[in-house]
C-alpha cells in the first residue's frame, strides 16, 4: 500500500506529492516549495514520518513544479528523474524566472536522469508506469500505479479542465491526444492527482470534462 501526501505550494498553487511505501521509502514528485516556510513544512513532514527519501521525479519541469528541486536534492542527496524530451524545459528555468520577474535563487540542479518510457520505474516498494503525455510541455509524463489505483498526472488533466498549451513547447492537439490515448484508457475508478486543484477520476473527466468533446 502506498501513501500519497499532497502539499500545495508557491504563488502558482502547485501540488507537490510525496509517495511513500510501507517501509517509509519515499519519492517526491514536482517539489514546488518556494518560500522558507514551505521548505520547513516539507522538512518537518519528512522528519516526523522518518521518511527515507530516494529520488525526485518531475512530471514536467515548469518552474512552479521545480522551485524546491535544487534545495531538496542538495539537502537529502537525491537524484532527479525527468523525461528526456523535457530537458529543454528544465534548462530554461532561469530564463522563465526572468520573464515572470521571479528572483533566481539557483541554477537548474542536479543533472537529471531520464526515464525509460518502456519500462516500469521502480524504487524500493514504489513503482510507476511512466506514461508519455506531451502537449502541456514537450516531455510531460504521468505516473501510474496500478496496484493502488492512482495517477499523478501533473498539468495534463485537471478537474473539469486541461493544461494550458500556450507556453513554449505546448501543443493543444497533442495534449488532447495524450489524454485520450494514454490517460482515458486507464480504469474508470483511477484516482487522478493533478498539478493544480482537486483530485478527480477518469470516470468523472470522461463524462463531464468540457475540453474533451
Ligand atoms: Zn506546467
Ligand atoms: Zn503547473
Amino acid at each position: 500500500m502506498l501513501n500519497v501526501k499532497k502539499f500545495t505550494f508557491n504563488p502558482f498553487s502547485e501540488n507537490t506529492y510525496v509517495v511513500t511505501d510501507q517501509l517509509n521509502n519515499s519519492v517526491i514528485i514536482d517539489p514546488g516549495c518556494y518560500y522558507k516556510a514551505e521548505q520547513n513544512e516539507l522538512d518537518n513532514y519528512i522528519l516526523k514520518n522518518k521518511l527515507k527519501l530516494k529520488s525526485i521525479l518531475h512530471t514536467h519541469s515548469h518552474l512552479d513544479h521545480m522551485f524546491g528541486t535544487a534545495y531538496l536534492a542538495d539537502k537529502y542527496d537525491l537524484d532527479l528523474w525527468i523525461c528526456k524530451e523535457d530537458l529543454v524545459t528544465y534548462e530554461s528555468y532561469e530564463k522563465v524566472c526572468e520573464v515572470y520577474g521571479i528572483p533566481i535563487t539557483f541554477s537548474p540542479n542536479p543533472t537529471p536522469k531520464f526515464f525509460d518510457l518502456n519500462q516500469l520505474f521502480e524504487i524500493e516498494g514504489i513503482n510507476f508506469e511512466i506514461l508519455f503525455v506531451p502537449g502541456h510541455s514537450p516531455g510531460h509524463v504521468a505516473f501510474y500505479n496500478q496496484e493502488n489505483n492512482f495517477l499523478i498526472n501533473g498539468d495534463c488533466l485537471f478537474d473539469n479542465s486541461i493544461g494550458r498549451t500556450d507556453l513554449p513547447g505546448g501543443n493543444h492537439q497533442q495534449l488532447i491526444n495524450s489524454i485520450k490515448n494514454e490517460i482515458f484508457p486507464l480504469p474508470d475508478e483511477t484516482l487522478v492527482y493533478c498539478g493544480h486543484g482537486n483530485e478527480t477520476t477518469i470516470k468523472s473527466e470522461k463524462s463531464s470534462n468540457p475540453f474533451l468533446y
Side-chain angles (χ1 to χ4, degrees), residues 60 62 64-65 136 155 167 196:
H60 66 301
H62 280 153
D64 51 327
H65 295 249
H136 172 71
D155 291 358
L167 297 168
H196 303 267

Side-chain angles (χ1 to χ4, degrees), residues 17-169:
Y17 296 97
V18 181
V19 180
T20 304
D21 73 9
Q22 283 169 319
L23 297 175
N24 290 355
N25 298 302
S26 292
V27 298
I28 300 185
I29 298 176
D30 292 354
C33 43
Y34 179 73
Y35 299 110
K36 191 70 208 148
E38 294 174 342
Q39 293 174 348
N40 289 344
E41 188 184 348
L42 197 50
D43 285 336
N44 288 340
Y45 176 76
I46 292 162
L47 193 68
K48 191 172 144 230
N49 293 285
K50 301 186 172 65
L51 300 187
K52 291 175 265 180
L53 292 183
K54 300 295 175 183
S55 288
I56 299 167
L57 280 51
H58 285 181
T59 59
H60 66 301
S61 298
H62 280 153
L63 76 176
D64 51 327
H65 295 249
M66 61 174 277
F67 282 136
T69 294
Y71 168 76
L72 291 166
D74 187 42
K75 176 156 185 165
Y76 298 100
D77 193 24
L78 305 176
D79 55 8
L80 165 68
W81 293 83
I82 71 171
C83 176
K84 192 174 181 204
E85 282 73 12
D86 220 45
L87 184 62
V88 59
T89 314
Y90 184 69
E91 288 178 336
S92 69
Y93 174 81
E94 289 160 297
K95 206 173 79 192
V96 178
C97 279
E98 241 171 60
V99 172
Y100 279 92
I102 294 166
I104 299 163
T105 49
F106 64 90
S107 305
N109 189 37
T111 302
K113 298 176 177 178
F114 300 130
F115 291 118
D116 186 338
L117 300 177
N118 302 311
Q119 289 188 8
L120 202 64
F121 182 81
E122 277 185 292
I123 292 182
E124 303 291 342
I126 302 166
N127 71 71
F128 294 118
E129 199 178 312
I130 310 290
L131 309 183
F132 182 54
V133 285
H136 172 71
S137 83
H140 199 303
V141 290
F143 306 117
Y144 176 54
N145 184 279
Q146 185 179 29
E147 208 182 330
N148 295 271
N149 223 8
F150 69 83
L151 176 76
I152 295 181
N153 106 126
D155 291 358
C156 284
L157 186 62
F158 294 124
D159 179 11
N160 266 308
S161 187
I162 58 172
R164 58 190 286 188
T165 50
D166 57 331
L167 297 168

